[in-house]
Amino acid sequence: MRLARSITAVSAAAFASIAMSTATAAAEPVVVTETPVTIFQLPAHSLVVSGLVVPGIHAAAVTAASPEPGHVTFAAPTRPEVCATTFGGALVRIDYLNIATGNAGTVTVRPCENFLEPTPTRATANTGSGPVVFSVGLTGTAYRPTAGQPSIPGVGTFTAP
């Protein structure tokens, strides 16, 4: 009798363990892996001034990753202390051209994550596979039209997978 109870208890525990692991596996989000893309660039530069009227220069560098062949996700992340200057509220505009396929377009990203602006912090573009050249410019928003100004545009190149 004791053996039957022990077997029943062990099988119930095993069944509960399997049910919990299945429920946990179903609840986990699907993670899309992106392949980093090496970029050679001269970033866009902006004159920034802090609240203490201390001037500086910020280089708005672009990063890229490829979620699938022919598509590239652009971003231009920056440090929080830069977002607390006159650069806060600036947008980074990326104009790209695939030399092999002729695919061209523009994406705009927001470098400051905590700034209230509907522009995304990352944008995926259909660049096509092959060599891509791009230019980077800094623009303001409707809320802060002079954010990130004065600035100098940047250029770069990479090979899209």
Side-chain angles (χ1 to χ4, degrees):
M1 195 71 143
R2 274 190 161 177
L3 183 59
R5 284 186 188 167
S6 296
I7 292 173
T8 304
V10 169
S11 57
F15 179 74
S17 173
I18 292 170
M20 289 296 287
S21 66
T22 304
T24 305
E28 291 179 13
V30 177
V31 178
V32 177
T33 59
E34 294 183 334
T35 306
V37 176
T38 302
I39 294 180
F40 300 103
Q41 67 181 310
L42 262 153
H45 286 78
S46 172
L47 177 68
V48 297
V49 180
S50 72
L52 297 173
V53 194
V54 177
I57 294 177
H58 173 65
V62 173
T63 62
S66 179
E68 61 182 290
H71 290 81
V72 174
T73 301
F74 293 102
T78 191
R79 300 179 320 273
E81 57 269 16
V82 173
C83 294
T85 66
T86 54
F87 187 78
L91 300 177
V92 177
R93 177 184 161 144
I94 304 157
D95 299 307
Y96 62 88
L97 169 67
N98 185 319
I99 298 170
T101 64
N103 286 8
T106 300
V107 295
T108 303
V109 294
R110 173 176 43 110
C112 297
E113 291 184 16
N114 296 327
F115 189 75
L116 298 176
E117 167 68 29
T119 305
T121 56
R122 300 165 48 91
T124 302
N126 180 9
T127 60
S129 296
V132 177
V133 294
F134 65 92
S135 66
V136 180
L138 301 173
T139 63
T141 60
Y143 173 68
R144 296 198 52 201
T146 60
Q149 299 305 318
S151 67
I152 299 171
V155 295
T157 185
F158 61 90
T159 301

